[in-house]
Amino acid sequence: MKHCVIFPLKNKTGEIVSFYGRSIINNSNAKHYYLTNTNGLYPGYPKVESEKIIITESIIDAATLLQIPEISANYEILSAYGTNRLTQEHKTAIAELPNLKEIIFFFDGDEAGRTATVKTGHALSLQFPNLKISAVQTPDNEDINSLLDGHSLSRDNGKPKIFTHLINKRQKFSFSIEKKIIETKEPKVTEKPKAIINTNDTDSLKITQHKITYTTKTATYHVKGSIPKAPDSMKITLETEVAGNPRKSRTRLDLYEDKQVEKTSRAISEKLDIRSDLTEQDLNYLTTLLDEYREKQLFKYQENNTSRKVKIPLDEQKTALQFLKQKELMKNFNKMIEKAGITGETDNRIFLFVIASAYKMSDTLHALVQGSSGSGKTYLIKQIADLMPPEDVIKLTRLTESSFYNFGENELSGKLLIIEDIEGLKEEAEYAFRELQSNGEIISGTSVKNEQTGEFNTIRKKVKGPVGSICTTTKGEIYEDNMSRIFLIAIDESRKQTDKIIKYLNQKSSGMINKSEEKETKKFIQNCIRMLKAYEVINPYADKILLPPEAHKIRRLTELFHAFINQITLINQYKRKKDKTGRLITEKQDIQTAVEIMFESIILKIDELDGSLRQFYENLKNYVKTKGEKYEFTRLEIRKALKISKSQQHTFFTALLESEYIYQAGGHINRGFKYRINYWDNNEKLRNRIKTDLENQLKNL
């Protein structure tokens, strides 16, 4: 913004949040400069009592009108950011004015200004059908500042009469005016029929999953893929075809760049043998339609996002509040979870429930559920996700390298991410995911060419958290960086758990399970989560509990342990005391509950074998003990004895051989190899030692 006059942009509370620069040199190449991800309005948000608003094309225009008391006293002034920049923030500010009666456009008297008046006025008339929308008829090739300079002799006590005259003569916006404004600027063509101006709204677009189609009498235009979310560009892949012509034109362009549109129109004209002026006209109106479509989509998203706080009926609030005040709250939650349809997994389900419920707190939690293929890990996390308010859950089955960077700035903030298979993530996507987990935001930089100057500028895009997350994996070998950020949970693959699931499925199919009761239970739990508020938590016993020193990355695990205790406290917030500053105070019972629930995860952090591999190894040792510790076994024998698939057995044997827990004792490649157990570790003794140590620390609190 060197050599610029600087104007401040303000937020709703009147704070300066961004800047605009108006160049005072080199005006032919670049005039206007905005910061990346510009927000805020100029001169600020309209007063709540405003009845009439004048919207100008530029900030300079708004600053000029503010100097005229006759206008500033009777109208609220608000600047757009050029012809294509009436942002969602502008529309939100307008929507929040209860007394507003009229919006007046005072744009430049050139083709761009008139087209922008049509486009923006049309969009606002769809969004605010009860408001009067009018337009000042600015003289040809004039703007507010040129009028100020050119009418210096028509002043009365320093007040130019030209402005009040034009505003008083403004015309109400309508479709007939819209057509008139466009037609007055169309070039006269005598040798060919005059173009028909399409005045339909976004219903003129045929929208399918992978393309947007726009058809005129000149040609049919297909926009392939999606349109950009950022309001400062309209980069698209365009395919153009003409009826009866087998050829097609395909190109990529930014519809916001006039030079690109003109060049593309000529190229399409030459290839498909149609008039370039009609093609350019079609592309200009297509830009308008795509603008309106994007605004509608953004408005719907923000409307849904605003409705995140679902209003709970008073009677349901009362019932949920009574439940949240119960003494044995966590045990009762575990019973409700089973009632909602999650059979077995008694420890895992309450563990995952606590982790999931932290998504809207300042200290979010993350879990990785490990298990072999077909063990039910995906089903478990989906069931847990169904216990959370659906408006706050984002389920993802596939992610590209740039998926996380393409979310809107606040689209993931305060959300729970459910990712079915984390090893399916590419390296770049996994890195972005780790940054979201650890730092609560990701920032990317992209080079963009300035079409006017030819220079490349770097723009920054930010995606904010915090987010909570639950993922699954079939592999125990994941990146070390991931291990320290998450709680590890091993799915229960025992025969006992399998029998519970089979029994539940049989009862559900036979009609013995009341599905409507399960649905109501899930709704009740969701309301309980909605009732929870984010507080700061202090734990007066934080230095009294020490985790096992042999745990993997003990520093990060201790941090996770304290965050988990905080979440237990937050779930019990309606029964916990607060200090003078409003912070919740952790009680001994919260620590006791946290240790009981996350004990298995602590063990997994110590054990070098992951959860499913540990379960297999313990079953293998128990089988071999019945034959004798020096017993040699084959792969086929173990596969039959432990009833596992060949692929699972191969994965487990490979991991145990690499870790030297078993070794190849003999045999032949044609007749099969034999194996022995090499390391008879005592996992049960380790578990008992750690459990006793933690219990003794709890007693001494």
Side-chain angles (χ1 to χ4, degrees):
M1 293 187 175
K2 189 177 181 181
H3 304 302
C4 286
V5 179
I6 304 298
F7 293 84
L9 309 184
K10 298 179 181 178
N11 65 12
K12 191 174 182 179
T13 60
E15 298 171 313
I16 296 174
V17 292
S18 191
F19 293 98
Y20 157 77
R22 177 62 164 83
S23 174
I24 58 175
I25 63 168
N26 197 24
N27 285 346
S28 59
N29 290 330
K31 296 181 180 180
H32 311 282
Y33 296 91
Y34 294 88
L35 296 183
T36 306
N37 298 323
T38 299
N39 57 350
L41 304 178
Y42 181 84
Y45 271 65
K47 296 174 184 175
V48 71
E49 62 271 15
S50 303
E51 295 185 1
K52 297 179 181 180
I53 290 182
I54 296 177
I55 297 180
T56 65
E57 184 174 319
S58 70
I59 286 175
I60 287 285
D61 293 340
T64 300
L65 292 184
L66 286 170
Q67 309 309 312
I68 305 173
E70 283 181 337
I71 295 176
S72 60
N74 296 304
Y75 304 92
E76 193 72 12
I77 310 296
L78 183 62
S79 171
Y81 300 149
T83 54
N84 289 317
R85 294 292 303 280
L86 196 64
T87 66
Q88 186 60 40
E89 189 171 8
H90 286 87
K91 296 180 181 180
T92 302
I94 292 170
E96 293 176 350
L97 301 176
N99 302 321
L100 187 62
K101 297 176 181 176
E102 183 181 7
I103 297 174
I104 305 164
F105 286 94
F106 199 158
F107 278 19
D108 296 353
D110 54 15
E111 184 177 356
R114 289 188 172 94
T115 304
T117 301
V118 171
K119 178 181 71 174
T120 315
H122 191 188
L124 289 184
S125 67
L126 294 174
Q127 188 172 341
F128 306 107
N130 297 325
L131 286 181
K132 178 182 177 182
I133 299 178
S134 57
V136 173
Q137 303 302 297
T138 310
D140 287 352
N141 301 317
E142 297 276 11
D143 58 37
I144 289 176
N145 283 284
S146 67
L147 288 171
L148 181 68
D149 292 337
H151 291 77
S152 56
L153 298 177
S154 303
R155 293 176 181 265
D156 182 14
N157 296 326
K159 303 170 185 176
K161 292 180 180 179
I162 183 67
F163 293 110
T164 52
H165 171 74
L166 287 172
I167 292 172
N168 291 336
K169 293 290 183 180
R170 65 187 181 273
Q171 294 184 20
K172 183 179 177 182
F173 185 91
S174 67
F175 290 111
S176 59
I177 290 177
E178 173 187 354
K179 188 171 181 179
K180 179 181 175 184
I181 291 172
I182 299 178
E183 286 178 346
T184 56
K185 303 310 295 180
E186 285 298 316
K188 292 183 180 179
V189 182
T190 54
E191 68 278 9
K192 294 187 180 180
K194 188 173 182 179
I196 294 178
I197 306 299
N198 189 338
T199 56
N200 294 335
D201 59 13
T202 51
D203 291 337
S204 302
L205 300 177
K206 183 181 177 183
I207 300 164
T208 59
Q209 186 176 1
H210 300 296
K211 68 179 179 181
I212 299 174
T213 301
Y214 173 55
T215 303
T216 69
K217 289 192 174 183
T218 306
T220 298
Y221 307 89
H222 303 287
V223 178
K224 297 297 186 76
S226 59
I227 59 177
K229 293 181 180 179
D232 57 349
S233 74
M234 188 60 76
K235 292 181 180 178
I236 62 166
T237 299
L238 182 69
E239 180 183 87
T240 309
E241 58 183 348
V242 176
N245 190 336
R247 303 180 73 187
K248 292 183 180 181
S249 169
R250 297 181 179 88
T251 187
R252 290 181 181 176
L253 78 156
D254 189 342
L255 291 173
Y256 280 178
E257 297 292 344
D258 289 341
K259 290 182 181 179
Q260 286 189 32
V261 173
E262 291 171 11
K263 184 178 178 182
T264 302
S265 299
R266 290 194 298 270
I268 293 173
S269 170
E270 291 172 6
K271 187 169 186 178
L272 302 182
D273 194 23
I274 55 178
R275 287 171 54 188
S276 62
D277 61 324
L278 297 183
T279 305
E280 185 178 348
Q281 176 183 291
D282 286 348
L283 292 183
N284 284 332
Y285 199 78
L286 174 61
T287 308
T288 301
L289 294 177
L290 292 175
D291 264 334
E292 292 176 7
Y293 172 68
R294 180 167 62 184
E295 290 290 344
K296 283 182 179 179
Q297 295 301 106
L298 181 61
F299 183 73
K300 283 179 186 176
Y301 166 72
Q302 293 193 341
E303 210 173 32
N304 294 336
N305 215 28
T306 336
S307 64
R308 282 185 56 192
K309 295 182 180 177
V310 175
K311 194 170 182 180
I312 310 170
L314 290 176
D315 57 333
E316 294 181 17
Q317 282 189 41
K318 187 177 178 181
T319 308
L321 191 58
Q322 288 174 347
F323 180 82
L324 290 168
K325 290 181 177 179
Q326 291 180 0
K327 187 177 181 181
E328 298 291 337
L329 180 59
M330 298 310 300
K331 290 182 180 178
N332 291 333
F333 258 131
N334 208 350
K335 292 175 184 176
M336 292 293 286
I337 293 170
E338 184 169 26
K339 196 176 175 183
I342 302 181
T343 304
E345 297 283 3
T346 311
D347 295 329
N348 284 342
R349 69 192 185 198
I350 190 64
F351 192 9
L352 284 170
F353 174 77
V354 175
I355 291 170
S357 67
Y359 70 89
K360 60 181 182 180
M361 306 303 173
S362 55
D363 289 328
T364 55
L365 302 176
H366 310 274
L368 179 66
V369 181
Q370 296 179 334
S372 56
S373 180
S375 59
K377 56 189 181 301
T378 302
Y379 175 78
L380 176 60
I381 68 169
K382 284 183 177 178
Q383 289 290 92
I384 292 295
D386 287 344
L387 302 179
M388 300 296 117
E391 65 271 17
D392 294 337
V393 178
I394 297 177
K395 296 178 182 178
L396 302 169
T397 53
R398 180 182 174 273
L399 286 160
T400 64
E401 290 187 345
S402 57
S403 290
F404 284 114
Y405 298 101
N406 290 332
F407 280 104
E409 182 171 353
N410 297 305
E411 199 171 346
L412 297 181
S413 182
K415 299 289 188 183
L416 174 64
L417 301 183
I418 303 295
I419 303 177
E420 292 185 11
D421 195 351
I422 194 174
E423 63 254 22
L425 297 185
K426 297 286 182 67
E427 185 177 353
E428 181 61 33
E430 189 169 352
Y431 170 75
F433 185 41
R434 287 201 305 267
E435 287 300 300
L436 272 175
Q437 289 175 322
S438 296
N439 301 325
E441 67 176 17
I442 50 175
I443 302 173
S444 58
T446 308
S447 294
V448 177
K449 184 179 180 180
N450 187 314
E451 293 294 331
Q452 294 179 335
T453 65
E455 296 178 349
F456 282 89
N457 300 318
T458 300
I459 62 170
R460 294 195 311 161
K461 188 174 183 235
K462 183 183 291 187
V463 179
K464 294 180 180 178
V467 298
S469 68
I470 301 179
C471 316
T472 69
T473 181
T474 54
K475 297 179 181 178
E477 322 82 54
I478 61 174
Y479 292 111
E480 284 290 309
D481 286 341
N482 294 74
M483 297 287 284
S484 60
R485 290 170 168 82
I486 57 179
F487 289 102
L488 292 176
I489 297 176
I491 203 80
D492 185 354
E493 301 184 48
S494 66
R495 184 65 201 178
K496 187 177 179 181
Q497 171 63 15
T498 303
D499 291 341
K500 286 181 181 178
I501 293 174
I502 292 172
K503 182 180 178 181
Y504 170 77
L505 294 174
N506 290 340
Q507 289 177 339
K508 195 170 186 178
S509 297
S510 63
M512 296 173 66
I513 301 292
N514 189 332
K515 295 181 181 178
S516 61
E517 187 178 351
E518 284 187 354
K519 190 176 179 180
E520 286 301 313
T521 304
K522 287 179 180 178
K523 182 183 175 183
F524 174 76
I525 295 175
Q526 289 169 5
N527 283 340
C528 289
I529 298 300
R530 291 187 181 109
M531 295 279 289
L532 298 180
K533 300 175 184 177
Y535 288 99
E536 186 179 349
V537 179
I538 55 168
N539 180 2
Y541 310 100
D543 59 341
K544 304 294 191 299
I545 295 285
L546 297 176
L547 296 177
E550 59 263 54
H552 178 77
K553 294 198 174 179
I554 185 66
R555 296 179 184 178
R556 188 64 70 92
L557 180 59
T558 301
E559 184 180 346
L560 290 174
F561 178 58
H562 289 310
F564 191 78
I565 294 172
N566 289 350
Q567 185 57 26
I568 297 289
T569 307
L570 285 162
I571 292 175
N572 286 281
Q573 61 185 246
Y574 289 99
K575 303 181 296 174
R576 295 293 174 258
K577 295 178 181 178
K578 299 176 186 174
D579 66 3
K580 293 179 181 179
T581 60
R583 298 177 297 180
L584 286 179
I585 303 174
T586 297
E587 295 186 2
K588 295 178 184 179
Q589 184 183 349
D590 298 327
I591 303 173
Q592 174 75 39
T593 305
V595 170
E596 290 174 359
I597 292 175
M598 68 174 290
F599 178 73
E600 292 297 332
S601 185
I602 295 172
I603 296 298
L604 282 174
K605 288 284 189 178
I606 297 170
D607 197 350
E608 66 175 315
L609 304 184
D610 66 53
S612 54
L613 183 57
R614 168 54 67 184
Q615 290 181 36
F616 171 79
Y617 189 50
E618 291 302 314
N619 292 335
L620 175 64
K621 288 193 297 183
N622 291 335
Y623 173 77
V624 172
K625 279 179 184 177
T626 62
K627 309 287 186 179
E629 290 193 1
K630 295 184 178 181
Y631 179 72
E632 296 179 357
F633 50 88
T634 65
R635 293 187 178 223
L636 176 63
E637 178 185 0
I638 298 304
R639 196 160 66 242
K640 298 291 185 184
L642 302 185
K643 295 181 175 59
I644 61 172
S645 68
K646 185 177 181 180
S647 60
Q648 286 178 331
Q649 178 258 336
H650 175 74
T651 301
F652 292 147
F653 263 54
T654 302
L656 292 173
L657 284 166
E658 288 178 354
S659 304
E660 299 181 351
Y661 278 65
I662 63 175
Y663 68 96
Q664 187 177 309
H668 191 272
I669 190 170
N670 294 326
R671 297 188 299 273
F673 294 109
K674 290 190 175 183
Y675 302 88
R676 275 190 189 179
I677 290 179
N678 183 47
Y679 177 45
W680 288 87
D681 65 344
N682 195 335
N683 187 254
E684 193 61 32
K685 183 179 179 181
L686 174 68
R687 293 168 59 87
N688 290 335
R689 176 176 65 79
I690 293 172
K691 192 169 187 177
T692 303
D693 179 53
L694 289 172
E695 286 175 350
N696 289 335
Q697 292 184 66
L698 289 169
K699 287 177 184 177
N700 295 327
L701 288 179

